Amino acid sequence: MDLALLKSKGLIRQLNAPAASDVTFPYGLGAHGLHEVLERAYGDRAALTGFVLTATKATRPQALFWISQSSTRRDMGGLSESALQEMTKGKISCLSLATRPARDALWAAEEAVISGAVSHVIAEVDAADFTATRRLALASVRHGVPVTLILPYRCEGATAAATRWRISTRPSTPNPYDPRAPGRPRWSASLERCRIAPSASGRTFDIEWNDETLSLCVVSGMVVGPLTPRTSSAGNIHQRKAG
């Protein structure tokens, strides 16, 4: 069969290597494609939400579209618009929608992607099967709108998402101005699955949010609590006379 005919039928497609920025943290999260972010345990939803909002950056001037199931919003609370504006210094506006079953939330997410009227779609759902995630992944690639699914800790199984993250809390940094106050937020992010960089699957990143520079950084060997100065014994000090 002729090669041109195979291309016209969509049986052969050009393979493009992923951009260098895609094969490093956070592996395309919030930039393009479909991604999943889960709690490590019940009670980590606040940490998860903070990670999603800080690890992703708007790629379009349109608003962020946040979809929640009514049951999730009732149990976990909703996204605070004032907190979002304070955290992003007013750079991100947000549209929100509440639905009842998960299928309605996933349908709304797909319709928002197809419309091209939003910069990023985030959907809090109880579950998402392979068929639904496959539809979202294809729509995201076709229309260039990233999608992030926020799922509870109990979710397992195969999906079409490019990455799957599990997030938990870490103690914040010491506050340099008030030792009784919290410092910069920190999270532990485990990358369970990564289609772009399979070798990165299984890695855990300790990350920290800087609210002054509005940037997220990966921190190696984080220390909890104030540092204690190390003292040297007198026997280890050697004095040398000048001259």
Side-chain angles (χ1 to χ4, degrees), residues 88-185:
T88 62
K89 299 295 188 289
K91 294 182 178 180
I92 298 178
S93 57
C94 181
L95 302 173
S96 62
L97 173 68
T99 67
R100 288 189 177 180
R103 65 175 180 271
D104 289 352
L106 295 171
W107 173 84
E110 185 177 353
E111 290 297 309
V113 170
I114 294 173
S115 72
V118 294
S119 63
H120 184 191
V121 177
I122 299 176
E124 292 181 288
V125 293
D126 291 340
D129 59 19
F130 186 86
T131 301
T133 56
R134 180 62 175 167
R135 289 177 61 92
L136 279 174
L138 291 174
S140 175
V141 172
R142 185 178 301 116
H143 298 277
V145 178
V147 181
T148 301
L149 296 182
I150 294 179
L151 297 164
Y153 68 95
R154 60 181 180 272
C155 284
E156 297 288 347
T159 65
T163 64
R164 172 178 284 179
W165 296 87
R166 284 195 187 268
I167 310 301
S168 60
T169 59
R170 290 292 302 262
S172 64
T173 65
N175 192 304
Y177 306 105
D178 186 352
R180 297 170 297 179
R184 296 174 178 173

Side-chain angles (χ1 to χ4, degrees), residues 3 43 54 70 79 85 115 161 192 197-198 214-215 222 228 230 240:
L3 183 61
T54 54
S70 300
L79 178 66
Q85 293 299 315
S115 72
E192 292 190 348
L214 298 181
S215 61
M222 294 193 302
T228 302
R230 183 179 298 176
R240 180 175 296 178

Side-chain angles (χ1 to χ4, degrees), residues 25-26 29 36-41 43-52 54-55 164-173 184-192 202-209 216-222 224:
F25 180 89
L29 175 65
E36 296 175 340
V37 188
L38 291 76
E39 306 158 303
R40 184 180 299 278
D44 287 332
R45 181 56 62 96
L48 183 157
T49 303
F51 168 77
V52 169
T54 54
R164 172 178 284 179
W165 296 87
R166 284 195 187 268
I167 310 301
S168 60
T169 59
R170 290 292 302 262
S172 64
T173 65
R184 296 174 178 173
R186 286 174 169 174
W187 302 281
S188 176
S190 297
L191 184 59
E192 292 190 348
R203 292 188 61 186
T204 297
F205 300 86
D206 292 325
I207 50 181
E208 177 180 297
W209 170 251
L216 196 68
C217 61
V218 178
V219 183
S220 176
M222 294 193 302
V224 178

Side-chain angles (χ1 to χ4, degrees), residues 27 32-36 160-164 193-196:
Y27 299 96
H32 56 78
L34 172 68
H35 301 262
E36 296 175 340
T163 64
R164 172 178 284 179
R193 181 188 306 149
C194 185
R195 298 181 186 276
I196 300 173

